[in-house]
Amino acid sequence: MTSQMFGAPVKRREDPRLVTGGGRYLDDLGHSALAAAFVRSPHAHARIVDIEVSDALDVDGLVGIWTHEDLPGRVGEPLPLLIPHPTLTHGRTQFALARDEVNYVGEAVVMVVARDRYVAEDVCQRIRVDYELLTPVVGIANARDGSALVHDDVPGNVACRMLQEVGDVDAAIAAAPHTLELDLDIERSACMPMEGKGVLARWDSDKGELRIFSSTQTSTGVRAAVAAKLDLPLAKVECIAPDVGGGFGVKINHPWPEEVLIPWAARLLDQEVKWTEDRREHFISSAHERGQLQQIRVGFDDDGRVLGLDVKFWHDNGAYTPYGIIVPIITSTQLLGPYKPGAYRCEFWSLYTNTVLVTPYRGAGRPQGCFAMERTMDAIADRLGLDRAEVRSRNFILPSEMPYDHGLLFQDGRPLKYDSGDFPASLAKLKALVGWDDFAAYREQAEAEGRRVGLGIGCYVEGTGVGPYEGGHIQIETSGRVNVSTGLTSQGQGHETSFAQIVAQELGVSIEDVFVTTGDTRRMPYAVGTFASRAAVMSGNAIALAARNVRAKALRIAADALEVSAEDLEIVDGDIRVKGAPGTHMTLGTVSVMSNPLRYAFDEAAKAATQFAGTADYSKPPVADDDEPGLEGKDFYSPTQATFANGMHAAIVETDPVTAEVKILRYCVIHDCGTMINPMIVEGQVHGGVAQGVGGALYERMVYDDSGQLLNASFMDFLMPYASEVPHIETDHLETPSPLNPLGIKGAGEAGCIPVTAVIASAISDAEGFAITSMPISPVELWELRQRHARGEIPSLRGTRHTPSAPVTSAPVTSAPSTPSREAP
Amino acid sequence: MTEPIADSATEELLDLTVVVNGVPRHAKAPARRLLSDFLRHDLRLTGTHVGCEHGVCGACTVLVDGQPMRSCLMFAVTAQAHEVTTVEGLGAIDSMGPVQQAFIECHGLQCGFCTPGFLTTITAYLEDHPHPTADEAREAISGNLCRCTGYQNIVKSVLRAAELRAERAGTTT
Ligand code: FES
Ligand code: FES
């Protein structure tokens, strides 16, 4: 038997290349290309009065300078609004180069192309742009106030107002024995991949063809968008995503201004042109996420069961909405997590501000939603003096209620219907892992030592693997080499490995013979992209289906040749053989030869396939009417709905009684993403997600001043966690297979980061004895909250702090370590 | 990238020789060429990555006379008097160094963009601290940023690399 590949922690196929300097990221290509640099707006809101370039023209090495008025036709029109929505009544997008007005610091105004980047930046320094300043709108409160406008023709700065309601919320809350209101606030953060964006374009003037390399999460998307902008037939444009140094969402938006301008310049100049984003550009001119203000009203019964949940929130979408309102839609739907509120209403406003745009960042609106829901759960528990885990479990959707339809529309415009999940089992595992029931004793001991500790919890459900589709193509060469391609891209998820595992398993070949290509429109022109934790679900299943097709074809040809029935054959390590009689066999390579009748014998294998090589049946054509030459197969996977993964996290934090510093002592994760292709990779995804979550909870924020300047646009000032800030993460998995797809898998990419802000807020609240409602939180802020709490401005939590839970009836709790310990990695 | 030059005069190109991975390498470049750009674009050793251009992320770390240095904070001209080791010099696919091998075994990388800076940093660290504890390993990598891994498997990789070094030393002596 070929060893079990699916589900094994197989070492990554991409790693030998990447650890020896053999990766090829965008800026590693095109060494002789001309370089582009941009003059970007230093103002958040201004009218462009004049652009003066005469000082710049004599710089040695300058090739060209362009402003908006130089851009012809569609290149000069606004960039597309990628995801329209009926409620997005006031969608606005920017020009590739600003036309009359700039709406955020960092908006591109002038493009310079020169011999190299040093010279291009010299030129930029010599270009003078005169601006007439307009009133900047910064911060959600100012945007909501609406007295100053970002776009003159968008009243109240409201891009979109959306309302979804299930049941009669007002009646449910009015009738509820208890009600609570919460005001919550969550700050901006950003993806911050270690590699910024970048584009390289080559124009082939002999063939009139364009080749684009982009550090993107969607090469098919960039290809189509650029072809449309440059008015080129799709057949004349190809786009390749090389190795990509992280994405986390920001590289799914497209086309970025540079993705239009660099190909345009390459064609115009008939020379290779490249732009590599530098770190400051990434901060001020890519995209951010997260910022929301939330108001929650909840009605619940004596047991803590939610009867009615009324949520309003205001979402900062930055200056433009090229990616639509995906983020707030996800917040409004995924907020529900593993719970079933009796009635639910969510109304949100997506607001313009004079800040860089907001597009999805890992989690994509879910961390905000989870924060809202989980803060509410903690508040209910506190009001009733109940255990926080117990209140959650009383609100869980039970396995017997799956599939569970919330009666809402999800981000893909389809019903929000959970396919599977065992929330009570997840909670039981989490409590065991963190030692939930022993925490009170631990705290007592810690407090006796003068230490202040708290325990926090957070649960989430994540819609993953949204459609519309992905495809897989597999071709087996005469050497036995298996070429696999899928159109979506990779940014570190290990697709070369996990997809190869699927093919090795399905086909019965050695993984060493499988070669996976992603994100190359020459190899697979039909694809959507890598986002929403969808790659494994979508492409994984498409590739599995394609492999099954190839397998069927190989068995049919071999059965014919070996004169046996296909059912009697098996494929082991690339060899097709009769079950029980391994002497009768032929390799997949030989079948590949036979599948492709040839005229020319260019090598030994080909010789066997030429027309005079063997006995031919002259009554039949060399390729049957219903067949195709070659041993290849293709298929697409297009599900009716998303699959829903879930997880639960708990953390123990210590807050310094004097300095208010927060230290995470333990961080525990229970994760259920269905069947796992490669648990090592899944675990890595969880670690990375939690680390980003920790950054978002304690360190990272975008600090804009009133004039719209981003004050911390560097790694010196934007505090991305180093190893010293990220705790050791303890994980345990549950595998509840999805009934929706052949492999039973759900997505895993974003999960880790979703509940972290909620969990840390919960733990700090537990440690301090008052509710944390605004995240991230710095030591200074916590210190100030303590002062306000001491002055009576912030109420104490009413219930006693964390107490062991009442016995949970739904699932047993196993014994757990009595004191938190940081396990050695 | 660097500050602009003060005037538009044609930049003078200098003949530079830098010993990289044991081999003297020549190229013409202006005085302001950063070592990172020189390695990447003039010598086409693109294994050294640039994540921030301001000395904070560590992706561009190379060894200068065996010491980890941020090549984005150093001019190529300055490197002339020194021996530079890049990730390409730590081992090739068929002859990997212990740190490279450990990263593969422990899933110490995802996108791989930060990885060369970690590999060089850890290689130098293990020279001086061949038997680190887990806490020391974490401390040792705390000057490099990675956005993908959450560092846990990098810590593991440091410990595994120490083992591999010891094993290799055992077999060669
Ligand atoms: S690129 Fe040199 S430290 Fe970041
Ligand atoms: S592996 Fe992607 S930044 Fe470290």
Side-chain angles (χ1 to χ4, degrees):
Chain A
M1 272 300 290
T2 307
S3 58
Q4 178 71 24
M5 275 290 132
F6 194 98
V10 175
K11 302 278 167 274
R12 300 203 321 167
R13 303 262 288 148
E14 39 278 88
D15 287 358
R17 180 166 57 84
L18 298 180
V19 298
T20 51
R24 287 295 174 267
Y25 302 84
L26 195 279
D27 191 47
D28 303 343
L29 313 169
H31 291 286
S32 46
L34 299 173
F38 292 84
V39 176
R40 298 182 183 277
S41 172
H43 303 297
H45 199 190
R47 223 182 301 285
I48 299 169
V49 178
D50 185 39
I51 302 175
E52 181 51 55
V53 301
S54 51
D55 265 3
L57 295 176
D58 58 348
V59 175
D60 179 54
L62 170 64
V63 176
I65 301 176
W66 296 271
T67 66
H68 180 270
E69 65 179 27
D70 305 314
L71 304 179
R74 292 187 200 164
V75 181
E77 290 172 9
L79 297 173
L81 200 165
L82 287 177
I83 312 180
H85 190 280
T87 64
L88 180 53
T89 49
H90 292 77
R92 294 291 178 272
T93 61
Q94 69 191 94
F95 295 93
L97 292 173
R99 193 174 61 181
D100 306 316
E101 191 177 314
V102 285
N103 279 302
Y104 61 91
V105 172
E107 189 164 353
V109 179
V110 184
M111 173 167 71
V112 171
V113 172
R115 182 179 60 224
D116 64 27
R117 179 65 176 256
Y118 291 68
V119 176
E121 293 194 15
D122 290 344
V123 174
C124 288
Q125 294 283 338
R126 289 161 167 262
I127 294 172
R128 299 278 163 263
V129 184
D130 282 340
Y131 298 93
E132 176 197 331
L133 300 191
L134 303 170
T135 310
V137 180
V138 182
I140 299 177
N142 287 330
R144 183 170 60 184
D145 165 73
S147 53
L149 296 180
V150 176
H151 303 288
D152 287 342
D153 55 353
V154 180
N157 296 309
V158 179
C160 151
R161 173 189 160 271
M162 186 168 167
L163 174 76
Q164 291 205 70
E165 180 165 9
V166 190
D168 186 342
V169 171
D170 289 328
I173 294 178
H178 310 274
T179 58
L180 268 173
E181 290 184 14
L182 289 85
D183 273 309
L184 303 173
D185 181 345
I186 193 160
E187 271 281 358
R188 272 192 174 215
S189 185
C191 302
M192 285 299 144
M194 292 306 297
E195 182 205 28
K197 308 198 303 291
V199 194
L200 166 69
R202 285 182 193 147
W203 174 251
D204 180 338
S205 53
D206 295 328
K207 290 155 82 184
E209 287 178 3
L210 179 67
R211 179 176 297 183
I212 310 162
F213 297 86
S214 182
S215 185
T216 180
Q217 291 175 226
T218 171
S219 49
T220 43
V222 172
R223 177 197 193 204
V226 174
K229 275 282 177 197
L230 301 193
D231 223 349
L232 284 166
L234 203 54
K236 293 292 186 185
V237 181
E238 56 201 32
C239 180
I240 298 158
D243 285 320
V244 174
F248 313 113
V250 65
K251 296 175 181 176
I252 188 62
N253 185 45
H254 65 279
W256 288 96
E258 300 86 2
E259 283 173 327
V260 174
L261 295 169
I262 302 303
W264 173 73
R267 181 175 64 171
L268 185 75
L269 300 168
D270 195 8
Q271 288 193 73
E272 249 188 314
V273 182
K274 178 165 74 172
W275 168 73
T276 307
E277 186 176 60
D278 69 27
R279 187 52 57 185
R280 180 170 165 79
E281 286 183 295
H282 189 78
F283 270 98
I284 63 172
S285 65
S286 276
H288 303 162
E289 211 232 79
R290 299 288 193 257
Q292 286 181 0
L293 294 180
Q294 305 168 332
Q295 274 177 10
I296 296 151
R297 205 159 59 95
V298 61
F300 48 100
D301 68 14
D302 295 339
D303 295 328
R305 281 192 192 85
V306 175
L307 304 173
L309 180 64
D310 186 12
V311 177
K312 286 185 173 62
F313 71 89
W314 292 264
H315 171 80
D316 178 354
N317 60 224
Y320 302 101
T321 51
Y323 209 71
I325 46 165
I326 285 296
V327 173
I329 294 182
I330 294 176
T331 301
S332 70
T333 48
Q334 297 260 272
L335 185 145
L336 294 171
Y339 313 113
K340 42 175 189 209
Y344 174 58
R345 177 169 63 207
C346 184
E347 182 175 20
F348 71 77
W349 292 261
S350 188
L351 301 173
Y352 288 108
T353 56
N354 287 113
T355 59
V356 72
L357 25 136
V358 165
T359 64
Y361 162 31
R362 194 180 205 168
R366 294 178 188 85
Q368 299 94 312
C370 183
F371 181 62
M373 193 74 209
E374 294 299 303
R375 292 280 69 215
T376 305
M377 285 292 161
D378 274 8
I380 293 171
D382 180 60
R383 168 66 62 88
L384 299 175
L386 290 171
D387 174 59
R388 291 169 293 166
E390 178 60 23
V391 166
R392 284 166 170 82
S393 75
R394 288 175 186 173
N395 284 285
F396 279 161
I397 297 162
L398 299 175
S400 57
E401 296 173 285
M402 295 289 177
Y404 187 86
D405 191 340
H406 277 289
L408 297 165
L409 288 184
F410 190 41
Q411 61 146 317
D412 52 2
R414 289 168 173 260
L416 181 73
K417 192 162 104 188
Y418 295 176
D419 53 326
S420 59
D422 188 342
F423 308 137
S426 288
L427 183 64
K429 268 181 178 280
L430 181 71
K431 289 171 69 173
L433 185 62
V434 75
W436 186 265
D437 291 334
D438 301 311
F439 181 75
Y442 169 72
R443 164 148 47 207
E444 208 171 300
Q445 183 194 326
E447 285 180 348
E449 295 161 6
R451 297 164 54 218
R452 197 180 287 193
V453 294
L455 172 64
I457 181 173
C459 312
Y460 68 92
V461 168
E462 182 198 2
T464 70
V466 296
Y469 71 87
E470 288 297 332
H473 177 261
I474 297 174
Q475 177 216 25
I476 302 177
E477 296 190 22
T478 56
S479 62
R481 177 188 161 108
V482 182
N483 300 313
V484 180
S485 68
T486 187
L488 54 66
T489 59
S490 305
Q491 306 88 42
Q493 300 91 338
H495 295 152
E496 283 176 50
T497 308
S498 50
F499 294 158
Q501 285 177 260
I502 293 173
V503 172
Q505 182 82 35
E506 293 283 343
L507 269 182
V509 298
S510 152
I511 193 166
E512 278 74 41
D513 290 329
V514 185
F515 296 85
V516 176
T517 300
T518 60
D520 185 337
T521 60
R522 298 169 302 178
R523 296 285 303 280
M524 173 53 83
Y526 292 98
V528 186
T530 301
F531 56 92
S533 306
R534 69 191 292 280
V537 182
M538 302 302 298
S539 283
N541 280 293
I543 287 169
L545 295 172
R548 289 172 194 182
N549 291 342
V550 179
R551 182 188 174 90
K553 180 164 185 177
L555 292 183
R556 170 165 59 77
I557 295 171
D560 236 23
L562 298 171
E563 298 182 324
V564 295
S565 139
E567 285 86 74
D568 295 334
L569 294 173
E570 61 181 359
I571 310 179
V572 180
D573 215 2
D575 198 33
I576 308 180
R577 60 192 195 192
V578 177
K579 289 177 202 159
T584 313
H585 70 106
M586 63 180 13
T587 64
L588 277 170
T590 307
V591 176
S592 170
V593 171
M594 295 168 64
S595 71
N596 185 19
L598 292 172
R599 184 170 178 87
Y600 306 116
F602 43 82
D603 65 8
E604 277 308 309
K607 202 155 116 191
T610 52
Q611 50 211 334
F612 300 107
T615 52
D617 179 346
Y618 299 112
S619 68
K620 290 183 188 162
V623 178
D625 288 348
D626 58 352
D627 208 354
E628 290 175 3
L631 185 52
E632 51 181 352
K634 182 158 96 171
D635 213 331
F636 290 87
Y637 175 65
S638 180
T640 54
Q641 67 154 84
T643 60
F644 289 84
N646 71 86
M648 300 185 187
H649 295 193
I652 296 175
V653 303
E654 176 164 354
T655 57
D656 189 295
V658 180
T659 65
E661 270 171 294
V662 179
K663 187 166 172 47
I664 302 172
L665 300 179
R666 288 187 63 205
Y667 201 94
C668 298
V669 174
I670 304 297
H671 184 237
D672 185 352
C673 62
T675 316
M676 289 189 272
I677 306 169
N678 185 325
M680 178 189 83
I681 290 177
V682 171
E683 187 103 354
Q685 290 292 317
V686 171
H687 291 171
V690 170
Q692 280 183 316
V694 167
L698 295 176
Y699 306 105
E700 297 169 10
R701 71 183 74 211
M702 294 293 172
V703 184
Y704 277 101
D705 70 8
D706 294 344
S707 66
Q709 294 293 337
L710 183 58
L711 300 180
N712 61 339
S714 85
F715 280 162
M716 279 302 271
D717 304 307
F718 177 80
L719 304 179
M720 235 158 80
Y722 287 97
S724 38
E725 281 75 49
V726 179
H728 180 78
I729 300 154
E730 302 163 52
T731 50
D732 194 0
H733 296 271
L734 212 68
E735 294 190 56
T736 313
S738 171
L740 294 175
N741 61 68
L743 300 176
I745 54 187
K746 303 176 177 183
E750 297 169 275
C753 76
I754 294 171
V756 186
T757 287
V759 171
I760 301 298
S762 170
I764 297 175
S765 303
D766 187 46
E768 298 288 324
F770 55 84
I772 301 296
T773 56
S774 177
M775 291 291 275
I777 188 163
S778 66
V780 175
E781 286 161 326
L782 180 56
W783 191 85
E784 279 164 3
L785 289 178
R786 281 180 183 169
Q787 308 307 306
R788 291 180 51 202
H789 178 238
R791 292 197 298 267
E793 293 164 24
I794 300 174
S796 294
L797 293 176
R798 304 180 182 197
T800 49
R801 290 179 297 158
H802 176 82
T803 47
S805 52
V808 177
T809 48
S810 49
V813 179
T814 54
S815 67
S818 59
T819 54
S821 63
R822 181 151 156 164
E823 284 175 15
Chain B
M1 298 289 165
T2 55
E3 287 296 303
I5 46 169
D7 60 50
S8 59
T10 307
E11 274 183 285
E12 186 192 350
L13 292 182
L14 308 174
D15 262 315
L16 302 181
T17 302
V18 180
V19 179
V20 182
N21 302 327
V23 180
R25 302 286 304 264
H26 314 281
K28 280 184 188 304
R32 64 173 170 168
R33 181 81 92 235
L34 296 172
L35 177 58
S36 52
D37 288 336
F38 181 77
L39 292 168
R40 292 177 42 72
H41 299 305
D42 296 302
L43 303 185
R44 303 204 173 182
L45 290 169
T46 53
T48 299
H49 296 157
V50 176
C52 70
E53 327 93 31
H54 50 256
V56 187
C57 75
C60 66
T61 307
V62 298
L63 304 181
V64 175
D65 299 331
Q67 294 303 310
M69 300 277 281
R70 311 228 145 163
S71 61
C72 73
L73 294 184
M74 192 170 171
F75 290 116
V77 202
T78 333
Q80 291 197 103
H82 306 279
E83 302 234 350
V84 174
T85 307
T86 68
V87 66
E88 289 91 346
L90 299 183
I93 283 199
D94 48 4
S95 60
M96 275 188 223
V99 188
Q100 292 167 316
Q101 194 185 326
F103 265 65
I104 295 179
E105 288 181 20
C106 303
H107 189 28
L109 67 151
Q110 291 182 24
C111 78
F113 197 81
C114 68
T115 311
F118 277 93
L119 296 173
T120 47
T121 303
I122 295 164
T123 299
Y125 174 76
L126 291 177
E127 280 294 322
D128 299 338
H129 309 85
H131 306 292
T133 63
D135 283 345
E136 287 165 351
R138 196 172 269 274
E139 178 68 28
I141 59 162
S142 282
N144 290 58
L145 285 172
C146 171
R147 195 57 161 167
C148 295
T149 62
Y151 304 104
Q152 193 153 320
N153 287 342
I154 300 183
V155 173
K156 212 164 145 188
S157 301
V158 177
L159 301 178
R160 177 66 186 138
E163 276 175 23
L164 288 169
R165 278 178 99 251
E167 281 170 24
R168 290 189 188 187
T171 56
T172 51
T173 52

